[in-house]
Amino acid sequence: MTQYARECALEIEQQFNSIVSPQKLKTEMRRELISELDTENKDFNPVQFRESLDRVLRTLVIPELHLDFDDAPKMISQSNFKAKFVITICKHCVTS
């Protein structure tokens, strides 16, 4: 049970983090900010802008998903977990 829970948690984390990748989000933010700037303005300093942007993006904390299911059996037993399993057998699948 614990191994299965870990595998499920890992798969969910990987799927989520591939969709909501902190590095990808920071790259997209950088691209969007640059596209909105008036880089032709005489006061625009690309070196200063890049340093500021890099500093802000380094300090920006984007949450990542981490699931901990090491105690899955205990969590299930404490939650009065009840399951109902229904097995349907196709009459064409059963040989007589």
Side-chain angles (χ1 to χ4, degrees), residues 6 17 33-34 38 43-44 49 64 71-74 81 84 87 93:
R6 284 185 190 139
N17 291 329
L33 282 169
I34 292 171
D38 180 10
D43 295 329
F44 180 73
F49 174 75
E64 294 183 40
D71 58 349
K74 181 180 176 185
F81 178 78
K84 179 179 180 181
I87 300 174
C93 300

Side-chain angles (χ1 to χ4, degrees), residues 17-87:
N17 291 329
S18 72
I19 295 168
V20 186
S21 164
Q23 189 56 45
K24 184 178 176 183
L25 287 173
K26 288 179 180 182
T27 301
E28 290 174 7
M29 280 190 260
R30 176 188 307 275
R31 187 179 317 119
E32 289 300 317
L33 282 169
I34 292 171
S35 73
E36 294 297 320
L37 285 175
D38 180 10
T39 56
E40 302 301 318
N41 186 314
K42 66 180 178 78
D43 295 329
F44 180 73
N45 181 334
V47 174
Q48 183 181 12
F49 174 75
R50 183 178 180 109
E51 288 173 357
S52 297
L53 181 60
D54 287 343
R55 184 174 54 255
V56 168
L57 290 177
R58 271 194 313 274
T59 61
L60 182 63
V61 177
I62 298 176
E64 294 183 40
L65 180 64
H66 295 286
L67 302 172
D68 181 13
F69 284 105
D70 286 341
D71 58 349
K74 181 180 176 185
M75 291 183 336
I76 291 171
S77 68
Q78 290 178 345
S79 68
N80 296 321
F81 178 78
K82 293 182 177 79
K84 179 179 180 181
F85 296 96
V86 177
I87 300 174

